[in-house]
Amino acid sequence: DGSNMTQLSNNSAVDMWASWGGGLTSSITPVTPVTIPTPTTSGGGSTGGTTRFTTPLDVYFLEDMSGSFSDDLGTVQRLLPNIVTTLQTFSSETKFGLGTFVDKPMYPYGSTSDYVYRNDLSLTTSLSSFQSAVSGLRILSGADTPEAQLEALLQVANHTSDIGFRSDSKKVVVLSTDASYHVGGSSTLPANNGDGVLDGTPAGTGEDYPTVEQLRSDLLAANIIPLFAVTSDQVSTYQSL
């Protein structure tokens, strides 16, 4: 259920979205906000001070590049650098990266130019590199309504080293979307084997989408906390995941 997939940290925590000042926009709502280590305050006593995280924080933003997200992309491009800047005030060693997804590049799930998952920027402390990657995001197709959210998350969980997640960090993936997701059994393709290889040519066309249990198992193994930032019409979809 949703709590098993998202609440993977201890009780000594704060709401990440409270630190960021709320959801992406009035129409994009964080679902089941995850928790991150409680910051400590030093040098200020009751009059103030500098708030720092005592555990390294790695945040990977996973963005929907399907056609229906075109009206949200501009907002995301404006907001994400601000979120990163805020996180850096808590720790200069916070790392952040960027990945994108659309859907399988085959009919009826997607168009030939689409893709299941792409790592656009491995984790870094460079705000300029992050801004450049975010500015370069381009909308594609996606064809049918559900997209490859779960398969993209599965790939992230299986490529933590490639992405640059640190062994001692709190690992968070923030997935933004306005669409429901494809899940294992929703195609006629062979069952997904749950590994980090997108089978087939083009990539991802040789196997089905993962099941929720496959994804949950891989996220737990990778110690990744997923956070879903979705449009209001998709809140119930991801609350029930």
Side-chain angles (χ1 to χ4, degrees):
D1 62 24
S3 61
N4 286 335
M5 290 190 65
T6 59
Q7 296 175 5
L8 306 181
S9 59
N10 61 40
N11 293 326
S12 178
V14 293
D15 183 346
M16 175 182 291
W17 285 92
S19 300
W20 296 350
L24 293 180
T25 67
S26 58
S27 64
I28 302 180
T29 307
V31 175
T32 54
V34 300
T35 51
I36 52 180
T38 304
T40 60
T41 302
S42 61
S46 61
T47 61
T50 302
T51 302
R52 300 292 182 197
F53 288 120
T54 56
T55 301
L57 180 63
D58 291 338
V59 182
Y60 191 70
F61 296 93
L62 190 55
E63 303 300 317
D64 187 340
M65 291 293 104
S66 65
S68 63
F69 204 67
S70 60
D71 56 343
D72 298 301
L73 178 59
T75 299
V76 168
Q77 287 175 315
R78 291 191 301 272
L79 183 63
L80 290 190
N82 294 335
I83 293 174
V84 165
T85 299
T86 300
L87 290 174
Q88 285 184 315
T89 66
F90 293 117
S91 172
S92 61
E93 294 304 312
T94 295
K95 289 191 174 184
F96 34 86
L98 181 70
T100 51
F101 64 88
V102 192
D103 209 341
K104 293 184 182 294
M106 62 185 296
Y107 180 84
Y109 314 108
S111 300
T112 56
S113 61
D114 292 340
Y115 52 87
V116 171
Y117 162 72
R118 184 176 70 196
N119 176 32
D120 294 83
L121 179 69
S122 295
L123 291 162
T124 180
T125 58
S126 170
L127 182 57
S128 61
S129 296
F130 184 76
Q131 288 177 319
S132 178
V134 170
S135 297
L137 294 177
R138 296 292 180 267
I139 292 293
L140 294 174
S141 176
D144 64 349
T145 299
E147 308 299 353
Q149 293 91 336
L150 302 195
E151 195 163 10
L153 272 174
L154 185 79
Q155 290 302 306
V156 172
N158 280 279
H159 289 278
T160 54
S161 295
D162 298 334
I163 293 170
F165 283 104
R166 292 168 287 185
S167 60
D168 61 343
S169 70
K170 181 68 68 175
K171 303 168 184 64
V172 178
V173 176
V174 182
L175 188 153
S176 302
T177 186
D178 68 338
S180 58
Y181 52 85
H182 279 297
V183 67
S186 60
S187 82
T188 58
L189 297 169
N192 192 295
N193 59 17
D195 66 12
V197 177
L198 290 168
D199 292 345
T201 304
T205 59
E207 61 184 342
D208 196 3
Y209 302 90
T211 65
V212 171
E213 183 54 38
Q214 280 178 312
L215 176 58
R216 178 180 179 275
S217 176
D218 283 14
L219 288 173
L220 286 169
N223 199 25
I224 287 176
I225 303 169
L227 170 65
F228 301 98
V230 304
T231 47
S232 57
D233 60 314
Q234 293 299 327
V235 170
S236 61
T237 299
Y238 287 87
Q239 282 178 330
S240 62
L241 180 59

